[in-house]
Amino acid sequence: MDLHALIRAEAATAEQQRALTDPVLTALVDHGVHRLIAPKRYAGAETGLPEWSRIVQELSRSDASTGWTAMTTTISSSLAWYLPADAADEVFGDPRSLIAGTAAPLGKAIEADGGYRVTGRWGWGSAVAYSEWVIGGTLTPVGPRLAVYPRTDVTIHDTWHAAGLRATSSHEFSVENALLPPNRAVWPIGITPGIEGPVTVFPYFSFLAVGVASVCLGVARRAIDEIEALAVAKVPQYATSRLAEQTGVQIELATMEARLSAATAFLHETLSAAWDSALQGSPAPDQVKARLRLACSFVTGEAVDVTQRAFAAGGGSSVFESSALQRCLRDVNVAAQHTVVSRRMLETYSMLKLGLSPDMTRF
């Protein structure tokens, strides 16, 4: 069974248990999905970000929770580029280990022998339950850092009872008085990375926005797949022809395809422009970064609307647990709630275009 067939076959079980199944997790690691953008030194593929986005879209087309898990673990593995060599060797030396976490600086560090002692609790810990190493944004005496903790220092709290993306296990997690050596804490902006590469030139805080948008595009593509298949087979109650033969459905399907294809092309265009700058060793100009984030927020909204239209077109058939359309609707709406693709990002683009000097530090 190939990877995507396995993911689809296991999706219902994963949804029920609120966690990816062991066969899927094993297959993702076997295929190196968790290290798609990590350096080759640590068994990474060093995949270009436009190709990475396409892979995340296809995984999310098979199952949103799997695509989301692949997205967040690959972004987390990008720390292998930034950490000092000794810390990176410790964290990424096992080619099969997973890393995940949350960047928000909710950990509080105080100086101690050997580094810092940290206490904190974070939300949205997607894939932390599957990981050997955990990232928790931490406020240290020298500023915010992405800090890496061994899983043995981390307590997971069973809080992820959500409408969608149920199998991502995005629970809250915490550490209590955990020892943090300084070499396992890094801020990936304005530093010399442990390993040089185009990934370290790409705007770091845009990784997640691109990833979330890619997941949403994949889910919307699955929704179109599902409504196409349903339209060919279904004759609605009190109707005499299949959905596929009804003009309104035909127009709706064509509109959905056009909107999703245009959104996908917009993301690819803007991501490729930023990646091309990174390949040349040049940080993306503010205009390029702002347009990329505009694309991420816009295409997420388009993906939500396309999925909603596919769900509506399915009529009563869409509402049952046996229908993938209802799951697509729940998953895409939960993904789109993430702050990195909120409509507030649209303001930054317009402010920059209008000469109003927006804050670009998180772009």
Side-chain angles (χ1 to χ4, degrees):
M1 184 180 292
D2 71 21
L3 178 60
H4 289 278
L6 174 65
I7 290 168
R8 291 190 182 223
E10 296 285 315
T13 300
E15 171 95 347
Q16 185 177 38
Q17 69 184 25
R18 295 185 299 127
L20 297 188
T21 65
D22 288 340
V24 168
L25 285 169
T26 298
L28 291 174
V29 173
D30 287 345
H31 284 77
V33 171
H34 63 309
R35 302 237 174 139
L36 282 171
I37 58 176
K40 291 179 180 177
R41 171 171 173 164
Y42 300 111
E46 298 190 15
T47 303
L49 293 188
E51 177 60 20
W52 171 72
S53 171
R54 285 189 285 264
I55 292 170
V56 170
Q57 289 175 49
E58 284 304 306
L59 289 167
S60 302
R61 185 179 187 176
S62 293
D63 172 58
S65 289
T66 304
W68 186 275
T69 299
M71 179 269 291
T72 191
T73 54
T74 51
I75 290 173
S76 297
S77 74
S78 71
L79 275 192
W81 295 93
Y82 295 94
L83 287 169
D86 55 347
D89 288 347
E90 179 186 12
V91 174
F92 295 99
D94 178 357
R96 297 186 65 83
S97 68
L98 293 171
I99 181 171
T102 302
L106 301 177
K108 305 301 179 186
I110 58 174
E111 292 182 348
D113 290 342
Y116 306 106
R117 288 286 176 180
V118 180
T119 296
R121 181 162 174 156
W122 297 263
W124 301 90
S126 304
V128 165
Y130 318 137
S131 300
E132 287 76 29
W133 293 91
V134 178
I135 299 169
T138 299
L139 189 59
T140 75
V142 293
R145 294 291 185 270
L146 299 184
V148 182
Y149 303 93
R151 176 67 178 79
T152 51
D153 285 352
V154 175
T155 299
I156 294 177
H157 307 275
D158 187 0
T159 56
W160 188 244
H161 300 272
L165 297 178
R166 290 179 178 173
T168 60
S169 295
S170 300
H171 305 292
E172 293 180 10
F173 63 96
S174 63
V175 298
E176 183 72 29
N177 200 35
L179 178 63
L180 174 66
N183 68 339
R184 277 202 266 110
V186 66
W187 192 245
I189 306 296
I191 64 166
T192 300
I195 301 174
E196 300 277 357
V199 165
T200 63
V201 182
F202 187 85
Y204 183 84
F205 289 110
S206 292
F207 282 149
L208 185 56
V210 172
V212 173
S214 299
V215 170
C216 291
L217 288 174
V219 177
R221 174 54 61 193
R222 174 68 178 275
I224 289 180
D225 294 342
E226 294 294 332
I227 192 58
E228 286 178 347
L230 181 64
V232 171
K234 179 179 179 178
V235 177
Q237 193 173 19
Y238 306 120
T240 58
S241 60
R242 296 174 300 156
L243 284 174
E245 299 168 295
Q246 297 177 13
T247 301
V249 173
Q250 294 166 356
I251 293 173
E252 187 75 342
L253 180 61
T255 302
M256 287 188 285
E257 177 61 40
R259 289 180 61 178
L260 186 61
S261 295
T264 304
F266 186 21
L267 180 63
H268 180 72
E269 173 210 325
T270 54
L271 178 56
S272 294
W275 184 243
D276 286 346
S277 291
L279 289 174
Q280 295 164 16
S282 303
D286 282 353
Q287 291 282 5
V288 171
K289 290 190 290 185
R291 186 170 169 80
L292 173 60
R293 297 298 292 273
L294 168 67
C296 290
S297 295
F298 176 78
V299 304
T300 296
E302 288 291 275
V304 170
D305 194 62
V306 166
T307 305
Q308 171 63 49
R309 288 171 176 268
F311 175 87
S317 302
S318 301
V319 307
F320 294 97
E321 288 186 354
S322 57
S323 170
L325 283 168
Q326 56 80 28
R327 185 170 179 188
C328 287
L329 184 67
R330 291 187 288 106
D331 288 338
V332 78
N333 274 284
V334 169
Q337 290 294 98
H338 202 293
T339 185
V340 296
V341 291
S342 73
R343 289 185 61 81
R344 291 194 305 275
M345 299 299 110
L346 306 182
E347 298 173 8
T348 304
Y349 173 81
S350 295
M351 289 175 68
L352 186 67
K353 292 290 286 186
L354 297 171
L356 299 179
S357 302
D359 181 6
M360 300 285 291
T361 55
R362 289 287 180 147
F363 271 53

